[in-house]
Amino acid sequence: MSGSFQGFGSRPSGQGSGLPSSFWDAMDQLKDTFERSFSPRVAKGDVRAAVLAILAEKPMHGYQIIQEIEERSDGAWKPSPGSVYPTLQMLADEGLVAAEESNGKKTYSLTEAGRAAAAAAEGQSAPWESAGSRDSGRATALPKAGAKLAQAAATVGRSGTPEQVAKAVEVLDDARRKLYSILAQD
């Protein structure tokens, strides 16, 4: 789920952050934990299959394809531009996709060969279905809430007074204990 934590984890430059590097290391570790634990495991061929399936419905530009995949997977999978645009170029090189530029944007559509390739894949489960097959709370709501919490902690750490930072640490420690107590309940 690359890009899901935009702006998070960037360390302030210069003096004045008032926080030791260990704080920022902890924030980076938290971000990495969320990305590893909750990012869908998507096979390399899935981007290709998803692009072909979506373009079989109508021509789109790359950003629309990314949004459509994210929407169809209920937010569980949002391929990065770094995976979609090279895939579109590869499909164009293979003669499966044609690009038409209009108003500074390339709109991609399937060629005859591309329509045949998309038709051959019909009946198989769509790649976004496997990415979104996990419990939606686990796949989307929990990591988003955790990321928001980590962002709030980072903001207090950057801008708060020492007293505010101490209070934030207490709140986070309490939240951690409460989360573990949820697992302890049966």
Side-chain angles (χ1 to χ4, degrees):
M1 191 149 80
S2 174
S4 59
F5 299 106
Q6 292 174 336
F8 175 72
S10 58
R11 298 173 188 213
S13 58
Q15 294 182 335
S17 73
L19 295 168
S21 64
S22 60
F23 174 81
W24 297 110
D25 291 341
M27 289 294 103
D28 287 341
Q29 184 178 7
L30 179 60
K31 177 187 75 108
D32 292 344
T33 299
F34 275 113
E35 288 176 343
R36 275 193 315 276
S37 298
F38 295 104
S39 293
R41 306 298 184 242
V42 179
K44 291 183 181 188
D46 286 349
V47 174
R48 175 189 170 95
V51 169
L52 286 172
I54 288 172
L55 289 179
E57 296 173 13
K58 68 179 183 179
M60 294 184 186
H61 57 78
Y63 183 68
Q64 288 174 309
I65 294 169
I66 293 168
Q67 288 180 309
E68 192 67 27
I69 292 170
E70 181 180 25
E71 186 176 306
R72 291 181 188 203
S73 70
D74 293 326
W77 178 29
K78 182 179 181 182
S80 70
S83 63
V84 170
Y85 287 102
T87 298
L88 286 165
Q89 183 59 53
M90 179 186 65
L91 292 170
D93 292 346
E94 293 174 16
L96 301 177
V97 168
E100 183 178 307
E101 191 159 340
S102 174
N103 298 328
K105 290 185 179 180
K106 284 186 181 180
T107 300
Y108 299 89
S109 59
L110 294 181
T111 62
E112 279 301 315
R115 282 190 281 284
E122 280 184 18
Q124 298 176 3
S125 67
W128 50 82
E129 290 171 358
S130 61
S133 63
R134 291 184 284 168
D135 174 5
S136 64
R138 179 179 169 87
T140 58
L142 184 60
K144 284 181 182 179
K148 288 178 182 178
L149 178 64
Q151 286 174 320
T155 300
V156 172
R158 280 192 301 273
S159 306
T161 66
E163 293 80 20
Q164 290 170 325
V165 170
K167 286 181 185 178
V169 169
E170 288 177 25
V171 168
L172 291 174
D173 284 343
D174 186 50
R176 178 184 41 79
R177 283 189 292 275
K178 286 180 179 179
L179 288 172
Y180 280 124
S181 75
I182 291 169
L183 290 175
Q185 298 170 3
D186 216 346

